[in-house]
Amino acid sequence: MINREQKKGRTLNSKLLELLEEGKKSEFEVDFVTTSTINKIDLRFLILYIPIIWISFFIVVAFWYNYLIFIQRIVIKILLIPVAILINFFIIAFGVALFGKLFLIILNLMHEPKQGVFKIEKGNKDYEFWRFRIQLKKLVLWVMNNNPLPWIDTWGFKWFGVQVDLSSHMFDSWVDTEFIEIGRKVTVGQGAVVMSSMVLGKYLIIKKIRFDDYTVIGGVSNIAPGTEVGKETIIGAFSTTYYNQKLDHGWVYFGNPVSKLKQNKYAEERNGFIHKKDVDENRKYKEIKEINIDEEGLDNEENNKVR
Amino acid sequence: MIKISTPAALKAGPFTTNLLARKKYIIFYIFLFWISLFIVQFEFWVFYSFLFNRLLFFILSLPILIVVMYISIILISLFFARILLIFVNLIHKPREGVFLRDKDDKDFRFWSLRSTIKKWPVWLAHKFPFPFMDNICLKMFGVKTKFSNSLFEGWVDTEFIEFGQNVTAGQGSIIQSALIAGNLFIIRKTIIEDNVIIGAHSIVMPGSKIGQNCILTSSSTTIVNQELEDGWIYSGVPAKKFKKNRFFEDHLEPFLNNPEEFEFFMNE
């Protein structure tokens, strides 16, 4: 609820109030989803690309130099070429990720990324830096997505500061790389769009998305910014969540906007069988507690004796 | 990534659904493939013969050369595809209308030929992580676009389309000007005006006209020859008027940021 003092601050936005009274409030509500692609394309993005590609290729050159000089027998040289090419692939991915992160840190030092609603115009720093960040990450994830290994993609997300467990899988979908929290064993379906930012008329909305453990996002579904999905929840294929929607745990959701379809029985079945890691952690926790109590007791007795 | 990362399952570029009306059309495809690689090979040879004696310069400029080579493959194949298209269009001018989907139909056959010629350069341009190349490609093939449009996340047909400024096509959206419906084959001009946002996974059918400042929400489609009015938000299958687009007005940030706070305020 709003205090009086807060209310005083709000009166500054009298123009907004006029607008809201003029039209019905529902006209301004965000009850639909658009897209999160970069709004305006700029040639300046090339300035980011060329140095990263340039520097990361040096590692490749160094690798080939060593390969050609240190392995002297021609037969072994020829036999190892396929392996060398495969290693080459990973070196490029590693180099681009390393220097991409370096540039990202510099960009974030210049302007810190934050959630909120921003205006799409030339002078707005939040908007411009959002475009730069996304364009920078696109290059790195493009390299990783062209890899034969799907896990390296998840590692790339982790590298850019997204909270992901390596057991999650989102190789076949469009996922934004900031303001996203993904738990353990999450699956995002083919062609699903998970957007933590949304372009909407004159405005850019950035809100955090949270997927809890064991959630499944169906194929070709759209996840809007601000969505929070509870534990063991399934979102059906071809469905859409709306801005700031909160989903309970243990349900199957479906539709546009998503609504409760039925309870997730499969999750209940899984509850019977407890995850091995959980059990181990519980036991450790208990043992430490018992030992602590004993030690305290012993200490007290010893202290008493001495005294 | 999507926006940022392009999914592996959907890596295909923005090109027309391609039907090979005759198998011999593949010759054009192979010709473009061959000639673009051939000229780039020549480019590398010139570079090699000039700089190989100075090894340091050679290594320093090699990465840049690879990027330049990739871009020049795109541009060379675009150039030759354009020349081929001029000759093909002289033989039979592309036109709108409803045709039979059959080998004997001249319009269908030439549409297939055109899209075969376009495929290699468009595929190359879409593979490049820099989104600028797509716009160059579309411009060369006669689609009216501006460089401020971002169309690289969707599938966009390469003829009979007109774009305005600042158009954004969402992830996995499809903008068509040609359609195959049973035994028929339809070509209609699609017009998309300024500041239009096309949501993720939505489909724009041939012949539809989207007015200024419109928003087509995600997972919705237009039907053939549908006209969307200026300044409205459309959604659904087929797209219907949802509400007026008020999001081009100023001072809305605090309301969009936290709508629940303002609910209390409005009741006062």
Side-chain angles (χ1 to χ4, degrees), chain B residues 112-132:
Chain B
S112 169
L113 178 59
R114 286 199 300 271
S115 56
T116 315
I117 291 170
K118 284 167 187 170
K119 199 154 196 164
W120 168 243
V122 174
W123 182 83
L124 273 176
H126 196 71
K127 278 276 172 191
F128 196 55
F130 187 61
F132 215 71

Side-chain angles (χ1 to χ4, degrees), chain B residues 202-253:
Chain B
S202 57
I203 301 170
V204 177
M205 283 298 213
S208 49
K209 191 189 162 194
I210 303 182
Q212 282 181 11
N213 299 352
C214 259
I215 292 177
L216 189 64
T217 64
S218 62
S219 310
S220 53
T221 64
T222 67
I223 50 174
V224 178
N225 289 344
Q226 196 178 1
E227 281 194 22
L228 310 191
E229 270 179 47
D230 286 11
W232 279 81
I233 296 168
Y234 281 81
S235 95
V237 184
K240 278 172 191 162
K241 266 183 189 173
F242 185 56
K243 61 186 178 187
K244 224 171 181 184
N245 189 0
R246 293 280 210 144
F247 298 98
F248 276 98
E249 281 171 45
D250 294 336
H251 311 292
L252 277 177
E253 287 104 326

